[in-house]
Amino acid sequence: MGKRVKVDLPVEEMPKNWYNVLADLPFELDPPLDPATREPVKPEALLAIFPESLVEQEVTKERHIPIPEEVLKEYAVFRPTPLIRAVYMEEYLETPARIYYKYEGVSPTGSHKTNTALAQAYYNAREGVEELVTETGAGQWGSALSYSCAKFGLRSRVFMVRISYKQKPMRKQLMNLFGGVVEPSPSNKTNVGKDFLASNPEHPGSLGIAISEAIEYVVSSNKVKYSLGSVLNHVLLHQTIIGLEIEKQLEILGEKPTIIVGCHGGGSNFGGTVLPFVPRKLAGENIRFIAAEPEACPSLTKGEYRYDYGDTAGMTPLLKMYTLGKDFVPPPIHAGGLRYHGSAPIIARLVHEGIIEAQSFPQEETFEAAKLFARLEGIVPAPEASHAVAAVIREAEKAKEERREEVIVFNLSGHGLFDLSAYT
Ligand SMILES: *Cc1c(COP(=O)(O)O)cnc(C)c1O
């Protein structure tokens, strides 16, 4: 059995910059389009819902973006996060692969989402915003944002997909603990919500509807801005702290990754994990990136690559991405954070170019993978992260069959301690 290794970087070793992959891509991304004119959206148009510094980060080509001191200070509450060798799983699988996982579940709200929530709350507060509004599926994003708003003195309001609101009362309580106001979506606070409720008073809701509600609320209020927990370039940018730390940790171990895996909902934890390694692939290094998604919501593997709205009511700009269509309402699978119809434009393009692979997993297989991981490694994975675990198991088994050494690294994006009802 390999030696169990856990690499904890000292806080002084935390990266001081985020990494912007747009500086290194050999192609231009297709720009977001204004739905009315089909012309590229002017950055100024985004200022109605986002603060200037984040709009700037959305389009910049600077390679290294300094992380503000105030954000570094808050990251230090839980960062750097550990990189751990999964020796118990390696032994069980009898694989020649060495498997490492980056554990983001140590964050205050249990997932990687705090990495961008803190940054977004900071920039909004600095520009005089008083309240942030957002949507949440399973509740991880809503709780990360509520926590971060409390840290930077902002109010927070969260439109929570109604089915999760009912199934995950503890997530709502966590948001309330941090001062967040939680509205089950569809709600009667917006015209969009009222329309859906009129057609079905028990509507289960969807992320697309909740986004529409949040945006409608924001554009009709003052000193209130919108905050998105995935998909957009600046969100992936903030998440690159994950991959940048992994780079340092692997260097300490003298390891070179050959396969990097993450689960994919809107692309933020996956992007944050793999994007810092993309230049290696572009330079011809032997390295694979695998995005793991649910068979029940297979945007990257079954979606079309085209322009589509980010929300259901069609209020957002059109984004070029893999999409199942804005009206897609996924079945109520437990991995609430992976129920989004679209994908991050950066990830979509990299899949389209063959730089990133996508694979889909049935719910059964991911739960079996999660149970195995919990019993062997002692951490209950979030249902979303279980898709990454399932992908790693498939690759480790392939390595065994083909007698290949591999260095597999995956992001364990969060713990599942608020999701135990899904396991029973
Ligand atoms: C939200 C969430 C995801 C999915 O979102 P991405 O933007 O694709 O990362 C994955 N894992 C966890 C733990 C989450 O909370």
Side-chain angles (χ1 to χ4, degrees):
M1 175 165 154
K3 193 163 87 135
R4 185 176 192 274
V5 190
K6 175 165 176 258
V7 185
D8 281 311
L9 288 178
V11 71
E12 309 79 60
E13 287 291 312
M14 187 158 55
K16 303 288 185 291
N17 297 286
W18 292 300
Y19 166 69
N20 179 16
V21 76
L22 296 184
D24 290 321
L25 294 181
F27 42 74
E28 292 281 322
L29 287 191
D30 299 294
L33 300 183
D34 184 320
T37 61
R38 288 241 156 201
E39 291 294 317
V41 178
K42 300 217 171 48
E44 307 84 74
L46 295 174
L47 295 176
I49 55 172
F50 295 118
E52 209 173 326
S53 30
L54 293 177
V55 172
E56 163 67 21
Q57 288 184 357
E58 193 58 22
V59 295
T60 181
K61 292 274 176 64
E62 286 292 321
R63 181 172 290 110
H64 304 291
I65 310 291
I67 306 174
E69 280 302 323
E70 294 84 343
V71 175
L72 285 173
K73 178 178 163 218
E74 291 307 331
Y75 277 178
V77 168
F78 61 104
R79 305 208 72 85
T81 61
L83 183 81
I84 301 165
R85 181 160 170 196
V87 281
Y88 304 96
M89 199 160 79
E90 286 174 20
E91 186 186 44
Y92 177 87
L93 296 171
E94 298 176 327
T95 176
R98 295 193 291 287
I99 303 172
Y100 295 92
Y101 60 96
K102 178 72 165 163
Y103 186 40
E104 290 292 304
V106 294
S107 113
T109 54
S111 83
H112 68 286
K113 292 201 170 72
T114 327
N115 299 329
T116 185
L118 284 166
Q120 293 190 40
Y122 165 76
Y123 288 116
N124 276 283
R126 200 186 62 177
E127 292 185 30
V129 173
E130 292 175 359
E131 177 176 337
L132 278 181
V133 179
T134 195
E135 69 290 329
T136 197
Q140 286 108 326
W141 172 238
S143 43
L145 194 70
S146 300
Y147 166 79
S148 304
C149 283
K151 280 282 185 177
F152 287 103
L154 298 166
R155 301 190 305 272
S156 58
R157 183 179 302 270
V158 181
F159 289 90
M160 184 172 189
V161 175
R162 183 176 294 270
I163 185 163
S164 306
Y165 183 89
K166 286 189 185 155
Q167 286 175 350
K168 313 226 153 145
M170 279 171 63
R171 278 284 173 192
K172 172 183 175 284
Q173 285 153 9
L174 189 61
M175 287 182 258
N176 292 154
L177 172 75
F178 296 127
V181 176
V182 186
E183 317 273 8
S185 165
S187 77
N188 55 20
K189 291 283 187 320
T190 66
N191 292 326
V192 175
K194 283 179 201 158
D195 283 351
F196 278 104
L197 282 181
S199 70
N200 175 7
E202 289 301 309
H203 199 295
S206 72
L207 264 186
I209 295 172
I211 297 175
S212 302
E213 285 208 271
I215 294 182
E216 184 187 322
Y217 186 90
V218 167
V219 295
S220 54
S221 320
N222 208 4
K223 294 201 175 179
V224 175
K225 296 267 191 229
Y226 173 64
S227 177
L228 194 59
S230 190
V231 179
L232 298 181
N233 300 351
H234 69 266
V235 180
L236 274 60
L237 173 77
H238 301 152
Q239 294 295 354
T240 57
I241 184 111
I242 301 173
L244 293 167
E245 285 182 4
I246 294 175
E247 262 192 314
K248 289 192 169 202
Q249 288 162 315
L250 288 176
E251 207 175 287
I252 289 172
L253 296 170
E255 289 279 38
K256 257 190 167 183
T258 57
I259 302 177
I260 306 183
V261 178
C263 65
H264 182 279
S268 76
N269 90 87
F270 178 75
T273 305
V274 309
L275 294 180
F277 295 90
V278 162
R280 301 186 185 198
K281 176 113 182 165
L282 295 173
E285 218 175 274
N286 165 34
I287 183 167
R288 294 168 59 207
F289 308 122
I290 303 173
E293 62 180 11
E295 269 184 1
C297 191
S299 10
L300 294 177
T301 50
K302 294 269 172 62
E304 288 177 54
Y305 187 54
R306 63 171 167 89
Y307 274 105
D308 195 10
Y309 293 97
D311 68 326
T312 302
M315 298 168 78
T316 69
L318 294 159
L319 300 176
K320 183 80 173 278
M321 59 186 180
Y322 281 98
T323 175
L324 297 163
K326 71 176 177 54
D327 297 315
F328 180 79
V329 178
I333 52 170
H334 286 294
L338 304 184
R339 297 179 77 229
Y340 185 58
H341 68 271
S343 50
I346 292 178
I347 302 302
R349 181 66 183 269
L350 290 170
V351 169
H352 192 66
E353 300 282 340
I355 294 167
I356 285 170
E357 304 165 40
Q359 296 177 12
S360 70
F361 296 83
Q363 184 152 283
E364 258 319 273
E365 185 178 343
T366 63
F367 272 120
E368 287 310 315
K371 264 196 274 179
L372 193 65
F373 189 84
R375 289 172 187 179
L376 292 168
E377 296 290 331
I379 297 174
V380 181
E384 294 84 4
S386 309
H387 292 73
V389 180
V392 168
I393 292 176
R394 279 193 197 173
E395 292 302 324
E397 286 176 343
K398 246 193 273 168
K400 179 183 176 189
E401 277 164 32
E402 297 166 14
R403 297 166 195 271
R404 255 186 305 110
E405 239 187 57
E406 297 278 7
V407 177
I408 305 176
V409 180
F410 75 100
N411 188 35
L412 191 65
S413 51
H415 69 67
L417 294 176
F418 288 111
D419 308 285
L420 287 175
S421 60
Y423 280 84
T424 48

